[in-house]
Amino acid sequence: MPTTETKPGNSNISVSSKPLKNCERRPAIPPRSISFHRFRKLIHVICVIIFFTLPFANLMRFDIPHQRFYFFGYELWISEFSVIFFSLMFLMFIVAAMAMLYGRVYCGYLCPQMIFSEASIALESKLTRTVNKYVRWNVSRRRLLSHTLFYVIAAVASIVLAFVFISYFVEPRDLIQRLLRFDIKTAGGIAGATTTLLTLLDLLFLRQRFCTSVCPYGYLQGMLGDGDTLIVHYRDENRECIECKKCVRVCHMGIDIRTSPYQIECIHCGECIDACAHVLGRLGKEGLIHYVWGEQGEELGKHDGSWYQRIGLRNSKRVVVLLIIIFYGTGLFTALSMRRAVLVRVAPDRTTMYRLGKDGTVYNRFRLQVANRGHGQAIAQFSIEGLPDASFANFENAVVVSAGETVQTEFEVQASSKAALAPGVNHFRLISRVGNETEVFEETFITPVRDSH
């Protein structure tokens, strides 16, 4: 027999001590070991550190005033534009391949615009809660205080972010001097002031609207993805959704993932996955939103396929893309490794074919350019081979070049009238030695042609 007890304070209400069968709750599902929200924030922190580190460590920076491109320890000059071009194309190809395999993972996890937009929203919300909690003013004054604090912090953050961004194109030490002088007259100062203003407007007003109204990368996803691309998908074959709408409330883009996984606003961040799993997990059910390999594919992390399928290599097209990236990266690394730190160029000056001295000595003039693209001083030494009785005239056969310096000069090669040289064109080799590196230049030496009459 079920027992009843009278609830204190109200003798007309009795509570049964036996639970009703229809109201029995399922055991709650333990929380997942992976939280996409925490994982995203960890990736965001790493990306911010990388964003601040790259220009100051010269790991990646395009120094426009000095016409240099720094790429992971290599200092490329503008004369090496082909290497610079293929380096940038390699990075773009990786981003495109990432979109084909893993969808909009760049937008959701790596994009600086998304990272700083979410940080701006979180900061504004945090300041509002803090002011409401600790400040005992009326509503309008608390709102004014929280907005003022947010605008001040956003302005300072805009200056810092603009400084870091412009440091990718202007040497940071030069840029800090411009900033301290409030330089808004030169190109670097104008670019810094403009970037600061645009960054502030972005943090205050634009935010995620940039992704749906300005950024072309989101529109490119439709062309890069296919039936096996990783997406966030809502699956509810058994109609277990309780319409709590938490997946909509946590969405930074303000969409309902249940409508379609291919909405242009969806950045596939996975926040809705955590929200659904949290709510339904308390009811003893699995979440209804997952990362899946294509609309008809299995969920991410399921061990139904081989290891290469679990990392996204699900068909031959993806294998080909991976091989292209490997070959491309290997070729680029090989080209950078074979690059000479000191570039030597020699060219004959044929404005005059030769010069004849009073004693019959023949002189040929050459142009020399030595560019030191390394980080230390270099000495280029020269010698002549294959030209009998030839030597340098008024040239010490060595050029000292400081780091980052280019030396342009001219020199003459002389041969006495008694040298056993053929009339007309004589071929010889000019040897350049810089440290352990040797380079050979095949050159010609012109002598007078004697008239047979």
Side-chain angles (χ1 to χ4, degrees):
M1 295 292 294
T3 60
T4 61
E5 59 182 63
T6 303
K7 189 174 181 180
N10 194 337
S11 59
N12 297 325
I13 300 178
S14 62
V15 180
S16 174
S17 61
K18 182 178 181 180
L20 298 178
K21 294 182 180 180
N22 294 336
C23 296
E24 293 179 353
R25 296 181 59 185
R26 303 180 187 179
I29 296 179
R32 294 178 294 113
S33 59
I34 297 179
S35 168
F36 292 109
H37 174 78
R38 290 195 296 268
F39 181 67
R40 283 183 72 236
K41 295 310 174 185
L42 175 61
I43 297 297
H44 288 180
V45 171
I46 296 175
C47 288
V48 171
I49 295 175
I50 293 175
F51 175 72
F52 278 80
T53 302
L54 289 181
F56 298 104
N58 280 340
L59 295 177
M60 185 179 296
R61 187 168 65 85
F62 206 144
D63 194 336
I64 295 178
H66 298 94
Q67 298 183 344
R68 302 286 190 270
F69 178 65
Y70 298 91
F71 186 74
F72 293 97
Y74 295 96
E75 181 179 343
L76 306 177
W77 291 24
I78 196 63
S79 57
E80 304 173 276
F81 181 77
S82 58
V83 182
I84 297 175
F85 174 78
F86 285 111
S87 300
L88 297 177
M89 289 299 296
F90 177 67
L91 297 177
M92 294 181 62
F93 188 74
I94 288 181
V95 173
M98 189 187 307
M100 188 187 74
L101 269 69
Y102 305 113
R104 300 189 66 175
V105 64
Y106 176 81
C107 295
Y109 287 80
L110 306 175
C111 177
Q113 166 67 26
M114 181 59 62
I115 293 174
F116 293 121
S117 294
E118 290 186 9
S120 174
I121 295 173
L123 174 64
E124 186 177 20
S125 177
K126 178 68 174 179
L127 287 175
T128 301
R129 293 196 305 269
T130 303
V131 170
N132 290 335
K133 181 177 180 180
Y134 294 103
V135 179
R136 302 303 178 187
W137 294 350
N138 58 48
V139 176
S140 59
R141 293 180 65 185
R142 289 201 306 267
R143 185 183 298 112
L144 177 61
L145 177 60
S146 61
H147 286 177
T148 302
L149 292 174
F150 173 67
Y151 290 159
V152 170
I153 297 176
V156 175
S158 299
I159 296 174
V160 174
L161 295 177
F163 177 83
V164 176
F165 177 77
I166 299 298
S167 295
Y168 279 85
F169 307 97
V170 180
E171 208 280 326
R173 287 174 295 183
D174 179 31
L175 190 60
I176 191 65
Q177 294 177 1
R178 297 172 186 264
L179 180 63
L180 295 176
R181 296 196 307 265
F182 295 97
D183 176 19
I184 55 174
K185 296 180 180 180
T186 62
I190 295 174
T194 303
T195 304
T196 301
L197 178 60
L198 293 177
T199 304
L200 179 61
L201 294 176
D202 183 25
L203 295 179
L204 295 181
F205 307 109
L206 188 59
R207 296 173 178 173
Q208 283 95 341
R209 297 185 186 90
F210 177 89
C211 305
T212 57
S213 59
V214 179
C215 181
Y217 185 64
Y219 294 92
L220 195 61
Q221 305 302 301
M223 294 185 292
L224 296 176
D226 58 17
D228 290 319
T229 299
L230 188 68
I231 60 174
V232 174
H233 193 214
Y234 166 75
R235 293 177 175 177
D236 188 14
E237 295 84 358
N238 299 324
R239 297 181 174 274
E240 294 185 329
C241 179
I242 62 174
E243 296 292 337
C244 66
K245 300 292 182 69
K246 188 173 182 179
C247 59
V248 179
R249 294 195 303 271
V250 300
C251 180
H252 300 290
M253 307 303 292
I255 64 171
D256 189 345
I257 189 61
R258 299 174 299 175
T259 303
S260 171
Y262 300 111
Q263 301 173 71
I264 191 63
E265 298 87 358
C266 181
I267 59 173
H268 295 173
C269 61
E271 296 284 349
C272 55
I273 299 177
D274 286 345
C276 187
H278 175 72
V279 172
L280 292 185
R282 297 167 62 184
L283 301 178
K285 301 179 181 179
E286 296 284 349
L288 304 177
I289 309 174
H290 313 276
Y291 274 117
V292 297
W293 297 105
E295 199 166 3
Q296 304 300 324
E298 69 269 14
E299 298 177 16
L300 177 67
K302 296 294 184 180
H303 301 286
D304 297 335
S306 57
W307 66 268
Y308 55 85
Q309 289 181 323
R310 292 198 296 271
I311 65 173
L313 302 178
R314 311 185 69 79
N315 52 41
S316 58
K317 179 174 70 174
R318 284 162 166 73
V319 176
V320 170
V321 170
L322 178 62
L323 291 177
I324 291 175
I325 292 177
I326 293 175
F327 288 140
Y328 196 145
T330 303
L332 181 60
F333 176 77
T334 302
L336 292 172
S337 300
M338 296 176 62
R339 171 182 174 270
R340 296 177 181 270
V342 179
L343 178 65
V344 179
R345 291 180 177 175
V346 179
D349 183 356
R350 295 309 183 198
T351 54
T352 57
M353 300 297 291
Y354 59 86
R355 182 173 66 87
L356 195 61
K358 294 180 179 180
D359 58 351
T361 302
V362 181
Y363 299 87
N364 278 208
R365 181 172 292 275
F366 294 84
R367 296 191 183 97
L368 172 64
Q369 181 181 25
V370 182
N372 186 358
R373 303 176 296 190
H375 302 288
Q377 187 183 75
I379 301 177
Q381 297 178 324
F382 301 91
S383 59
I384 300 172
E385 292 183 0
L387 195 63
D389 297 325
S391 62
F392 294 105
N394 300 322
F395 181 65
E396 296 181 354
N397 81 323
V399 176
V400 179
V401 190
S402 301
E405 182 185 9
T406 299
V407 174
Q408 294 180 338
T409 186
E410 295 183 351
F411 65 90
E412 287 184 322
V413 175
Q414 63 181 10
S416 66
S417 59
K418 299 179 181 180
L421 299 179
V425 179
N426 295 266
H427 296 276
F428 74 101
R429 294 179 300 278
L430 187 65
I431 311 299
S432 166
R433 293 183 177 87
V434 181
N436 296 325
E437 296 181 352
T438 301
E439 192 170 2
V440 179
F441 299 92
E442 298 290 342
E443 301 294 341
T444 57
F445 188 86
I446 308 298
T447 59
V449 179
R450 295 179 177 84
D451 192 345
S452 60
H453 300 287

